[in-house]
Amino acid sequence: MECGDAGRDSYLQRNGDWRSSIWCAARSKQMTVHYDSKKLLITVKNAGRLEHEKDVILRIEGYRTGADRSDRDVHLVRNEQAVNIELLIVGELRVLTGMKRQRNA
């Protein structure tokens, strides 16, 4: 099943937080991504997920990449593990459209 008629909506909230929604018209399901700028958290709510499955909550962490003070970078962390954001998004879109999480699963 595909979301050929999928739409996207995003807006900046008053407190500087960002929220975006992706919906699948074929299944009447929606995925919402919310960025909390004060807590540095990203929450992904996916209506395609089973009821007992929790929302995905990612934390933005900075880390040093070298000896100089300006050598820094950031990554997303979930359960104390760095997250591959591309795989996360593809997996969430597969759940939203009703496909299996992994191609061979």
Side-chain angles (χ1 to χ4, degrees):
M1 184 174 294
E2 295 182 12
C3 286
D5 298 327
R8 186 178 53 158
D9 181 30
S10 80
Y11 60 92
L12 193 62
Q13 295 177 323
R14 277 183 249 156
N15 58 359
D17 291 354
W18 178 77
R19 183 180 304 265
S20 181
S21 296
I22 300 170
W23 62 90
C24 178
R27 296 192 67 222
S28 302
K29 300 287 184 186
Q30 176 175 320
M31 180 174 69
T32 303
V33 179
H34 178 248
Y35 167 61
D36 185 334
S37 59
K38 292 180 183 171
K39 296 179 182 177
L40 296 178
L41 293 176
I42 297 173
T43 305
V44 179
K45 297 181 181 215
N46 191 338
R49 228 184 256 121
L50 300 175
E51 281 189 35
H52 69 277
E53 294 178 337
K54 297 180 180 179
D55 297 336
V56 174
I57 299 174
L58 306 166
R59 193 173 65 248
I60 300 172
E61 286 187 354
Y63 62 96
R64 295 189 85 151
T65 58
D68 191 17
R69 187 175 181 180
S70 63
D71 295 337
R72 301 178 73 134
D73 204 350
V74 297
H75 59 197
L76 295 174
V77 175
R78 179 178 185 207
N79 299 331
E80 306 302 322
Q81 298 288 323
V83 173
N84 182 332
I85 192 66
E86 291 88 6
L87 289 178
L88 175 82
I89 291 172
V90 168
E92 290 295 324
L93 289 173
R94 290 177 71 87
V95 170
L96 183 66
T97 58
M99 299 170 71
K100 294 180 179 173
R101 292 175 194 268
Q102 296 177 356
R103 186 172 227 165
N104 295 330

